[in-house]
Amino acid sequence: MGLDTSPDSPIQVEKASNLMRDWIRRLGSIWVEGQIAQLRVRRSYVWITLRDTDADVSIPLGCSRSEIESADGGITEGQRVVVYLKPDYSMRRGDIQWRASDFRPVGLGELLARIERLKKLLAAEGIFAEERKRPLPFLPRRIGLVCGRASAAQHDVEVNARLRWPGALFEVREVPVQGPSAVAQVIAAITDLDQTPEVDVIVVTRGGGSVEDLLPFSNEALVRAVAACATPIVSAIGHEDDVPLLDLVADLRASTPTDAGKRIVPSLKEETAKVADLRERAHTALETRVRTERRHLTSLTSRPAMSRPGALVDRERASLRLTAERGRRSLRSRVVSQNEKMAVLLARPALAHPELAIARRADLLAGLRDRCARAFSGQWQATVVDLQHQTARLQSLSPLATLDRGYSVVESNGVILRDSSEVALGSKLRIRLSRGQLGAVTTSVRQ
């Protein structure tokens, strides 16, 4: 405030209070949303406690009775309102007070619109996606239960679960399930159970109520806390028609607390019946298999090989002996035949006196070589004489022989000239001699 004071020159309480009041009154007015937790009417003045809807925080405020009565539909305890507040300073008590000058009840339509906007936001983030939901355990070791204190919802869940599975164990966390402290305490209970290793599934439940009563279970902080849990969550809030946002993020939505109790554990009666049925089916299958194998064994043992196994051995032994005897006879016959062939070959002169046979073969080879040489020489001389005759005939018919006698061949543009009229003056000529060629130009033409 910038006052120059000291122990020797203090200011009066009234002046200090006036300065404080003037400073606070310079603060602007604000709109605040909350829930009417307490409302006390004192003649023409009303004292109100306005509580935060999500946190355990409240502020006292005052207003004239006419402000309450002029609000649409009136103002009652538990109602959600938006209030126009301005801070003020009490000179008499020396405290700061909030003065309310306008009350606007938050209607059901506005609350539902806010929930719908939050629902779209969270859905866009994928928090409600089906692929994020986890299956419940078949038989949880311990069931976490978040519920109101001594509530009917707790009784419904526990009774129905134990009717199906008498040995079901619960880890219960009793917390406020409506009001300003509900959100924080429900989140704390869920977090605590999620960190308990023995808890395999968590059920969050409460009975039915108005939309305002169920607002904590559509709170954004609570929805995000459930989405972050590692333990599967079952939502059993209100009646079947109530669908808070907790139902959408939970891994399983139960229509009622009773339905939740039936769905979190298996039925002992049903499972016992299944075991009995499986045992009966297994017994039947085993008997059928034994009968089948016994028939198969009987069929096998009735065969000759099994009824008289020695007969098969005897038959194979006889077959083996017969094969061996045939082999011995065939071998003896082959040896005799080969010996006879060898005797015939040894009886031949060539084999008896091999040196004479070699000498005769050498003389025969020398004679053949001499005859071949004479025949080749005669054929060669005849071919040479014939080639000479053919060469002479070719030379006599060849135009080159004519050129050798002094003649030549004249061409113009590749054409052999036979008449002087075929060429013009200045034409280029090519003259072919017996040996070589000449180039010429026509200087004169005579017929």
Side-chain angles (χ1 to χ4, degrees):
M1 299 177 190
L3 294 179
D4 187 11
T5 61
S6 69
D8 297 328
S9 59
I11 64 172
Q12 295 297 320
V13 172
E14 182 182 7
K15 185 174 182 179
S17 297
N18 285 325
L19 290 172
M20 175 65 74
R21 182 184 61 185
D22 294 340
W23 180 74
I24 288 180
R25 285 181 175 179
R26 286 198 297 269
L27 299 176
S29 300
I30 55 175
W31 288 98
V32 178
E33 181 180 353
Q35 185 179 22
I36 303 296
Q38 189 176 21
L39 190 148
R40 293 175 296 165
V41 180
R42 294 291 185 269
R43 296 182 182 178
S44 62
Y45 202 78
V46 181
W47 295 99
I48 297 174
T49 300
L50 187 66
R51 180 175 294 170
D52 191 283
T53 57
D54 296 334
D56 191 12
V57 178
S58 62
I59 57 173
L61 56 94
C63 67
S64 64
R65 187 171 182 174
S66 60
E67 294 290 345
I68 295 294
E69 294 174 348
S70 62
D72 294 339
I75 300 299
T76 59
E77 288 188 359
Q79 189 173 10
R80 202 164 188 170
V81 294
V82 175
V83 189
Y84 193 61
L85 297 180
K86 181 177 178 61
D88 195 7
Y89 182 75
S90 174
M91 294 280 291
R92 185 170 60 85
R93 294 189 302 272
D95 58 4
I96 299 175
Q97 297 178 344
W98 290 92
R99 301 292 182 183
S101 59
D102 190 0
F103 287 87
R104 298 186 182 181
V106 178
L108 179 60
E110 175 62 22
L111 293 176
L112 294 177
R114 292 183 185 181
I115 293 175
E116 187 64 25
R117 288 195 294 271
L118 178 59
K119 176 182 176 181
K120 292 180 179 179
L121 174 65
L122 297 176
E125 295 180 15
I127 289 182
F128 302 147
E130 287 297 324
E131 54 269 19
R132 296 185 70 257
K133 299 185 184 301
R134 296 149 297 188
L136 302 188
F138 172 71
L139 181 60
R141 293 171 294 174
R142 191 173 291 271
I143 303 166
L145 183 59
V146 180
C147 57
R149 294 180 177 88
S151 64
Q154 175 185 353
H155 176 268
D156 291 344
V157 173
E158 292 182 351
V159 168
N160 284 278
R162 290 186 173 125
L163 283 175
R164 289 173 60 83
W165 195 268
L169 300 177
F170 286 86
E171 188 75 22
V172 181
R173 297 290 184 271
E174 295 182 346
V175 296
V177 290
Q178 69 182 63
S181 63
V183 172
Q185 295 199 37
V186 170
I187 291 176
I190 291 175
T191 303
D192 181 37
L193 292 173
D194 186 43
Q195 296 173 354
T196 304
E198 296 80 11
V199 174
D200 293 330
V201 64
I202 300 173
V203 180
V204 182
T205 184
R206 67 150 286 163
S210 65
V211 174
E212 293 84 352
D213 294 338
L214 301 182
L215 280 179
F217 299 97
S218 292
N219 182 273
E220 181 178 0
L222 176 59
V223 171
R224 293 188 183 277
V226 170
C229 282
T231 307
I233 303 290
V234 177
S235 174
I237 305 300
H239 303 298
E240 187 171 358
D241 295 336
D242 298 322
V243 186
L245 297 186
L246 179 62
D247 284 354
L248 304 180
V249 72
D251 298 290
L252 175 66
R253 175 188 180 267
S255 58
T256 60
T258 300
D259 182 48
K262 294 178 180 180
R263 299 180 68 175
I264 55 178
V265 292
S267 170
L268 179 60
K269 182 178 180 181
E270 293 176 2
E271 296 304 318
T272 303
K274 288 180 182 178
V275 172
D277 179 62
L278 290 174
R279 183 184 294 112
E280 181 64 25
R281 291 167 59 187
H283 181 70
T284 302
L286 182 60
E287 285 187 340
T288 302
R289 182 64 180 271
V290 170
R291 286 196 298 268
T292 302
E293 295 299 327
R294 182 177 289 115
R295 286 196 299 267
H296 184 59
L297 182 61
T298 302
S299 175
L300 290 176
T301 54
S302 64
R303 296 176 181 178
M306 298 297 293
S307 60
R308 293 184 295 107
L312 180 61
V313 174
D314 294 340
R315 186 167 60 251
E316 292 299 326
R317 182 181 292 114
S319 177
L320 182 60
R321 289 174 180 173
L322 179 60
T323 301
E325 183 60 29
R326 289 176 179 174
R328 285 194 294 269
R329 288 199 300 268
S330 176
L331 182 60
R332 284 196 298 268
S333 176
R334 186 67 180 272
V335 169
V336 171
S337 176
Q338 293 298 325
N339 287 337
E340 292 176 352
K341 289 182 180 180
M342 183 63 70
V344 172
L345 291 174
L346 292 177
R348 293 180 180 179
L351 292 178
H353 303 285
E355 64 279 1
L356 296 177
I358 292 174
R360 283 197 297 271
R361 293 291 182 180
D363 292 342
L364 179 60
L365 181 61
L368 291 174
R369 185 182 296 110
D370 183 58
R371 290 171 59 188
C372 182
R374 287 197 302 270
F376 178 76
S377 176
Q379 184 67 28
W380 172 260
Q381 290 176 1
T383 302
V384 170
V385 171
D386 182 63
L387 180 61
Q388 290 174 350
H389 290 167
Q390 295 295 335
T391 301
R393 292 176 61 190
L394 181 62
Q395 289 177 348
S396 64
L397 297 175
S398 174
L400 295 178
T402 304
L403 295 180
D404 285 341
R405 293 197 298 270
Y407 293 93
S408 64
V409 177
V410 181
E411 298 178 2
S412 176
N413 295 325
V415 178
I416 299 175
L417 298 178
R418 292 177 176 81
D419 192 335
S420 61
S421 63
E422 297 176 355
V423 65
L425 291 176
S427 298
K428 293 182 179 181
L429 305 174
R430 188 176 70 171
I431 303 171
R432 183 175 180 182
L433 305 176
S434 175
R435 286 179 291 281
Q437 298 179 2
L438 299 176
V441 178
T442 307
T443 58
S444 63
V445 177
R446 286 182 293 177
Q447 298 295 329

